[in-house]
Amino acid sequence: MKSFPMFIRTTGRRVVIAGGGEQAAQKARLILKTDAAIILAAPELDAELRGLVAQNRAIHDAGPITPGTFAGSALTFIATGCAGADAALHALAKAGGATVNVVDRPELCDATTPSIVDRDPVVVAIGTEGTAPVLGRSLKTRIETLLPPRIGGLAALAGRLRGAVAEQLPENTRRAFWAWVFNGAPTQLHRTGAEAEAAELIKSAIDTRRVPENAGEGHIALVGAVPGARDLLTLRAVERLQEADVIYYDRLVDPDVLELARRDAERVFVGKEVGACAWPQDRICALITAEARKGRRVVRLKSGDPSIFGRATEEMEAARAAGIPVEIVPGITAASAAAAQMSRSLTERGQTDTVIFATGACRPGDPAPDWANHMRPGTTLAIYMGVRTAGNISRALISQGAPCHAPVDVACDVSTKDERFLTCTLQDLEPALAEHTVSGKALILVRFPKTAFAGRANAA
C-alpha cells in the first residue's frame, strides 16, 4: 500500500474547502455527511454553496486566503477548477500544516477520498489510491447491494447499549451475546422493519442478565448456489456464506461461489459423481447436523434452487429431528438461468402457458418417472438430470403421442465459461447428445406449443 486507510474524526473540527464552484460543491456534498464545520474559502460562491451558507450548513470565508485559513483543519480540499490557483492554494495549505486533497491532482494529495458505502455508523470506504476512481465506484455499487439497508440503525442501537451490557453481563458471555445480536433473532427482526421489537428483545436479555440460550446455537442453511455465475446469487445467499463456519458443497457448485465465503470458513467437498455414492445422503445429513450441534453455522450449498430436486427434504428432516434451526435460501434454478442465457421466455402467451419441472433420474429400484403424464399442449417441460435417460424420455413421450418434431433445447453448464446450447427435435435428442458428447450438468427443455398438438384426439 502507498496509502494507509483510516477514518478521521470530524466532531468539533473544521474542514476547509478552497473554491466556490462545482468542484467545491461536490466536496461539500461529501463532507455534509459528517458533523464537521465546513469552511468555504473563496471570493465568490455559486448558488448551491450560497444556499449552504444561508442554511447555516457552511461558513463563507471570502478571504484573503493565507496559511492561517487552513491551520488546525481536519482536512483541506483544494477545488477551484484552475490548475494554477490549485497549485498556489496547495502551497498555502501546506504552509498552514494542513492535510490536503487537490481535486484531480493525485501528485499533490496527502489524502484521497474513497468511494463510500454509508450505513451510519457503519461506513465502508473503497480506495484505489487515486488511480482508478471509476473502479472504486463500481465496487461501491456491489457492496451497496450486500449491506442490509437498516444495518446502521442496529449498529447504533448496539453502541448505545454497550455500557449496559458491560454492567449487566459477565465478561466471558459478552462475545456470545453480541454474536446472538448480530447473527440471531434481533438482526432478523431488524431487517424486516421490526426495529422496536428487536430493541426490546435485546434489552430484555440485558435486563435479565442472561445470554439467550440460542446465542451459541447452531444453524443450518440450505443455500441455492445458482447453476453457475456467482453474480446470480441472492443477497441472502451471500450473507449466509459470509456468516458460515463450515460449508458443504459438491461438484455442481462453481468454485467462484466459494470465494464469497468468509476466508476462515471450513470448506468440505461432498461431491457426488453421477452413478457413484461416495457421499450417500444419510452421511451428508449426519455431517451437517453433527456440526450444527457444536454451535456452528452450517451452509449446505446446492446448485440452483435447493427445493427443486436438491434433496432438501431429507436434510431439513434430519435437522428438525436433531432440534436444529434450518432454513432454505432459494436460488435461481437451472431452467430460469437457461432461459435467460438463451434470451427466451419459458412461457409464451397463446402458445405456452404451463411450465413443468421434472427429473430424469430417480433412486435405484424406483420406477421411471411418468414423463408422458406431463405432456400437454401449451407446456414447457424442463427435465433435470436427464442426460443418461434421454433415450428413454424421448421414446416414452413419442409413444404417448408427442410430436416427433417437438423442439428441444439442451443447456449445458449454464452461466459458466463452458456454457453451450444445443437445439434438436425430440426424436433426435439421444443421437444429438451423443454427437456433441453431452454428459452430466445439462438441462433438457422440451416445448409443446399448442399448435404442435393440432389434430390429437386427446389434446385438451
Side-chain angles (χ1 to χ4, degrees), residues 48-130:
E48 180 180 354
L49 296 176
R50 290 197 302 272
L52 293 180
V53 174
Q55 297 164 18
N56 294 318
R57 301 295 304 279
I59 298 170
H60 183 200
D61 182 347
I65 298 176
T66 69
T69 304
F70 308 101
S73 62
L75 186 62
T76 288
F77 292 99
I78 307 296
T80 68
C82 171
D86 283 351
L89 289 170
H90 171 263
L92 291 174
K94 293 304 296 178
T99 299
V100 185
N101 173 280
V102 182
V103 175
D104 293 334
R105 297 286 297 276
E107 74 278 7
L108 296 181
C109 290
D110 301 315
T112 55
T113 53
S115 295
I116 293 174
V117 179
D118 185 5
R119 299 288 192 276
D120 186 28
V122 177
V123 179
V124 179
I126 306 103
T128 61
E129 297 185 342

Side-chain angles (χ1 to χ4, degrees), residues 37 191 331 432 440 459:
R191 284 177 181 170

